[in-house]
Amino acid sequence: LGYNVRYRHENPDIMYFTDAWSGIHKSTDGGLNWIQSNGEGEGNIDFRVGPSLDNIPVFALRIDPNDEDIVWVGLQDNGGLYKSYDGGQSWKSKSEGLDPYDVIPQKKIQNADEDDEDIPELHLTVRMIEVEPDNSNVVYVMVDVDTQVDGFQFNRTRGFVFKSTDGGEQFELVGDFANLTRWLFFTNSNDNEELLVTTGLFDRE
């Protein structure tokens, strides 16, 4: 179940493929052969979900356009973010500030006709990661959270944009939307402050 296919511009034979539920796959020969690239030992992506706790739910992947040895991945199910400085050989968690309970108040979680005081478990999914051109310290992360509120056919989601100015050590909320946030673009080559964010997806409300 592939979501992102990315390649290095300096060497297109080096490709990455994200697969929920088996993490990241990497090819160095233009896609003829693939190996898992989830790291090993202390440098691995250590988040797991699923009935047998072996799923690695990687959804989004971004190669830093300023330094293609730096690779970012975003996970589903509160797996957060991971960053690699060596092309996917090893990974470090970079999820400080990405907390669904901080961005969705309780009143937005529960159905209006429910008096249940128990707050349901929220799951944050990283939909996209974008790095500012010429400045790897500025990183944007687009996420959505299932609010557990019934919609017409699916549960309603809310979308959020987080921003880091220190290479992912800390993220802060900079955008809150009624639908999930999917893509972010820098629309002005002379001004990286001008952004376009797209929202919504066919299977979410």
Side-chain angles (χ1 to χ4, degrees), residues 49-205:
V49 293
S52 56
L53 293 179
D54 62 353
N55 291 347
I56 310 173
V58 174
F59 185 95
L61 185 147
R62 184 71 168 106
I63 301 171
D64 188 326
N66 311 307
D67 181 351
E68 294 194 320
D69 285 332
I70 297 177
V71 182
W72 290 88
V73 294
L75 283 68
Q76 298 174 312
D77 297 326
N78 293 332
L81 280 171
Y82 286 81
K83 182 179 182 180
S84 174
Y85 297 89
D86 54 15
Q89 303 280 344
S90 60
W91 299 91
K92 292 184 177 181
S93 178
K94 299 290 182 181
S95 300
E96 190 68 34
L98 301 180
D99 188 338
Y101 294 97
D102 288 342
V103 297
I104 298 189
Q106 182 176 354
K107 65 181 180 180
K108 291 184 180 179
I109 298 172
Q110 297 175 339
N111 287 310
D113 58 350
E114 291 183 353
D115 295 324
D116 188 0
E117 295 182 357
D118 294 332
I119 299 177
E121 183 178 4
L122 298 180
H123 291 281
L124 182 148
T125 293
V126 177
R127 293 285 177 181
M128 185 192 179
I129 306 153
E130 189 56 85
V131 181
E132 183 174 288
D134 302 320
N135 188 354
S136 296
N137 285 325
V138 178
V139 181
Y140 293 90
V141 177
M142 278 51 68
V143 310
D144 72 84
V145 176
D146 184 338
T147 66
Q148 304 296 315
V149 175
D150 293 336
F152 178 65
Q153 289 184 307
F154 304 93
N155 283 351
R156 294 176 181 171
T157 60
R158 291 194 66 84
F160 304 94
V161 178
F162 290 89
K163 180 181 181 180
S164 173
T165 58
D166 54 12
E169 296 304 315
Q170 176 71 40
F171 285 89
E172 65 174 350
L173 181 67
V174 295
D176 180 347
F177 299 87
N179 304 98
L180 66 82
T181 50
R182 185 65 178 93
W183 300 100
L184 179 143
F185 303 95
F186 298 94
T187 56
N188 187 338
S189 60
N190 297 317
D191 181 5
N192 288 329
E193 296 298 311
E194 184 176 301
L195 307 173
L196 171 67
V197 174
T198 68
T199 64
L201 193 66
F202 68 93
D203 63 346
R204 297 290 185 269
E205 294 196 29

